[in-house]
Amino acid sequence: MITGKSLVGGTWKDGEGTFTSAPVTGEAQTFSKGTPALVAEAAAAAEAAFPFYAATLRQTRAAFLNAIADEIEARAEEITAIGAAETGLPEARLQGERGRTTGQLRLFAEHILHGDYLDRRHDAAMPNRQPLPRPDLKVVQRPIGPVAVFGASNFPLAFSTAGGDTASALAAGCPVVVKGHPAHPGTGEIVAQAINAAREKEQLPAGVFSYINDGGNEVGAALVQAPQIKAVGFTGSLRGGRALFNLATARPEPIPFFGELGSINPVFVLHAALAARSAEIAQGWVGSLSLGAGQFCTNPGVVVAIEGAETDAFVAAASEAAANVGPQKMLTPHMADVFAKGRDQIKGAADVDTILAKDAGPREAAPNVFRTTGAAFLSSEHLAKEVFGPLGLIVAVKDEDEMIAVAQSLEGQLTATLQMDDADMDLAQRLTPVLEQKAGRILANGFPTGVEVADAMVHSGPYPASTNFGATSVGTLAIRRFLRPVCYQNMPDALVPEF
């Protein structure tokens, strides 16, 4: 049952005032707004729980993560029903996302049991070394403290209440305070109930997990600025993320802000691949571009190819494929409005040709495809900005050098893709070192939508793709964000944790 309240230190509490959800189907529900006072209470409870939770055995935290997964699965039908109503996402998509959510919880449980993430190192004492003896040195990764997590609009499960940020922080030994997203508050609460039930089952302190309903910008600001919070995980817009990042770094004690903010995820279609399979690549691109109404952070919004008959054929095939994709619901009315504004800006730009423009109804988006030149792309800053939704821009460059120049001009990206055949190896070898500096993940002959949760995955990139290019929000490396090395010199073994 939905209470409409925030979970603070094990108790469901009202805030001040209410807001109403905006479901795609079904009746709207009323939720009590989160407040800075609730944030302060949750942060204090997290700080009080931290010494105990940080000292728990890995087996204890692994059991907690597995229990959360079990509790989420026990609420599977309820989560799917309310998630579909709130977001308009198909039931199959939500079922898959729920599996990814529980899967990554179990993956982190297994990961910490192995212990490799602790990166334990030992330099034994050398008392007889001349001219000075060496002390005994042990280093091990330790949890940093309470972590704030912001739920994402486009992933109501895998990047929200019990998503990757929460799973990796809890695995590390850090209590978590989640700010729920207003796009799916009911879904967020049910998952919060699951986490709290698991916490009670494993007899962990109440402050290990709290969930604060949305209450506007002041609640997000209060969470980032709470002195007990030691790091932030965020997935969202560049504007909102940058504002929170600035608050995090302006604190008396600056803290790391692990934000994923925006990416156009360019696809470079090289000549031999284009000549051999332009229609196939175009169809795959449109499929990736329009998947889920384009509401993925890895949506491939820009294609770069050398002008000529093969590129013309690609454009025609992409237009035909996009014409066959109907309007889809956006996650929120605001996101639909933002998409429409971004589309209209691209459409009205100089040196941009409209290949396919499709209108859609309220809270909907349909694929739109545009074409421009390499010179225009290089001279226009806004053509390289993300439009969140099913909008594709084809950049026809004049030659290989201009393709390299386009790659060099890019801001940081989550992904970059090479569509290539063996005959394209020389150009690919020129592009790859450039793309290594621009993206966190480079693909060959695929499309970036779909992020595998695995040990080797990197889901980040240079700014503005993320605010910390040395981290990842997906995969087991994500746990490193919430750990720091502590060196123990000449300490008795009984006082050195996890070694």
Side-chain angles (χ1 to χ4, degrees):
M1 179 181 296
I2 300 297
T3 70
K5 300 180 180 183
S6 295
L7 174 66
V8 180
T11 302
W12 295 95
K13 297 189 174 185
D14 286 317
E16 297 177 3
T18 61
F19 71 93
T20 304
S21 64
V24 174
T25 59
E27 295 183 2
Q29 293 180 293
T30 300
F31 293 83
S32 178
K33 288 183 178 179
T35 65
L38 290 176
V39 168
E41 187 177 346
E47 183 180 50
F50 176 63
F52 176 89
Y53 190 59
T56 55
L57 297 175
R58 286 173 280 145
Q59 292 82 353
T60 299
R61 298 198 302 279
F64 180 34
L65 294 170
N66 283 320
I68 294 172
D70 291 341
E71 294 289 343
I72 289 173
E73 292 294 355
R75 295 162 175 77
E77 292 184 5
E78 187 181 6
I79 290 170
T80 299
I82 195 168
E86 288 185 324
T87 67
L89 293 172
E91 289 189 1
R93 153 72 193 273
L94 286 164
Q95 290 164 355
E97 190 180 331
R98 188 185 70 248
R100 171 175 169 173
T101 304
T102 57
Q104 62 193 9
L105 285 161
R106 298 190 194 283
L107 177 64
F108 275 109
E110 181 181 358
H111 182 66
I112 61 175
L113 288 177
H114 290 317
D116 294 344
Y117 77 100
L118 295 168
D119 195 16
R120 293 166 284 203
R121 306 182 186 201
H122 182 202
D123 291 312
M126 299 176 65
N128 298 321
R129 188 183 68 176
Q130 297 296 327
L132 295 172
R134 185 176 76 185
D136 184 84
L137 301 171
K138 295 185 177 75
V139 67
V140 66
Q141 301 290 326
R142 298 296 296 148
I144 60 174
V147 171
V149 172
F150 285 72
S153 62
N154 59 334
F155 278 87
L157 299 173
F159 275 89
S160 291
T161 307
D165 290 341
T166 297
S168 54
L170 292 176
C174 299
V176 172
V177 180
V178 171
K179 177 188 172 294
H181 198 282
H184 39 77
T187 309
E189 183 185 324
I190 294 173
V191 177
Q193 291 177 9
I195 298 174
N196 194 50
R199 179 196 62 76
E200 291 176 341
K201 177 182 177 182
E202 299 301 321
Q203 300 181 332
L204 295 171
V208 165
F209 176 80
S210 292
Y211 176 85
I212 309 296
N213 278 334
D214 182 68
N217 293 339
E218 66 176 1
V219 172
L223 185 54
V224 171
Q225 293 178 304
Q228 301 92 340
I229 297 297
K230 300 304 179 185
V232 179
F234 174 90
T235 298
S237 69
L238 175 59
R239 180 180 179 183
R242 182 56 196 252
L244 294 173
F245 171 81
N246 291 343
L247 290 176
T249 56
R251 290 174 26 144
E253 177 199 5
I255 58 173
F257 182 91
F258 299 102
E260 180 205 305
L261 309 183
S263 183
I264 61 173
N265 304 295
V267 178
F268 293 84
V269 185
L270 307 192
H271 184 74
L274 190 63
R277 45 193 174 90
S278 63
E280 177 188 339
I281 296 171
Q283 290 168 2
W285 175 57
V286 170
S288 182
L289 181 75
S290 59
L291 182 67
Q295 298 171 111
F296 290 89
C297 47
T298 52
N299 186 37
V302 171
V303 162
V304 185
I306 297 174
E307 62 186 10
E310 291 86 357
T311 293
D312 293 341
F314 175 90
V315 171
S319 178
E320 180 180 356
N324 292 325
V325 180
Q328 301 176 70
K329 288 291 185 182
M330 298 289 278
L331 291 162
T332 67
H334 174 70
M335 292 172 74
D337 291 342
V338 171
F339 171 76
K341 290 176 182 177
R343 175 202 61 201
D344 293 345
Q345 185 179 33
I346 297 291
K347 188 176 181 180
D351 299 318
V352 172
D353 297 324
T354 299
I355 304 303
L356 178 71
K358 298 178 69 174
D359 293 325
R363 196 173 174 167
E364 290 184 338
N368 283 250
V369 181
F370 302 92
R371 177 175 177 165
T372 192
T373 65
F377 186 87
L378 289 168
S379 64
S380 178
E381 182 178 341
H382 74 269
L383 291 181
K385 299 299 183 183
E386 179 185 32
V387 178
F388 196 65
L391 184 144
L393 178 64
I394 301 167
V395 182
V397 297
K398 63 183 180 181
D399 54 28
E400 293 184 1
D401 288 340
E402 192 166 68
M403 181 177 279
I404 297 292
V406 166
Q408 292 171 331
S409 75
L410 295 170
E411 295 181 315
Q413 305 293 326
L414 292 171
T415 73
T417 300
L418 295 172
Q419 289 288 342
M420 58 175 289
D421 285 352
D422 290 344
D424 293 311
M425 189 60 68
D426 287 346
L427 178 55
Q429 288 177 333
R430 293 179 64 193
L431 276 167
T432 299
V434 177
L435 299 181
E436 285 177 351
Q437 300 301 309
K438 301 293 183 178
R441 176 164 59 111
I442 306 172
L443 299 81
N445 295 327
F447 294 98
T449 45
V451 182
E452 186 71 25
V453 181
D455 292 332
M457 178 51 65
V458 171
H459 190 63
S460 71
Y463 184 86
S466 65
T467 56
N468 191 314
F469 59 80
T472 176
S473 60
V474 178
T476 55
L477 281 173
I479 198 172
R480 292 190 179 183
R481 298 172 298 168
F482 308 124
L483 298 165
R484 66 181 182 88
V486 177
C487 178
Y488 299 85
Q489 181 170 324
N490 291 334
M491 294 286 285
D493 288 343
L495 297 179
V496 181
E498 296 276 15
F499 206 84

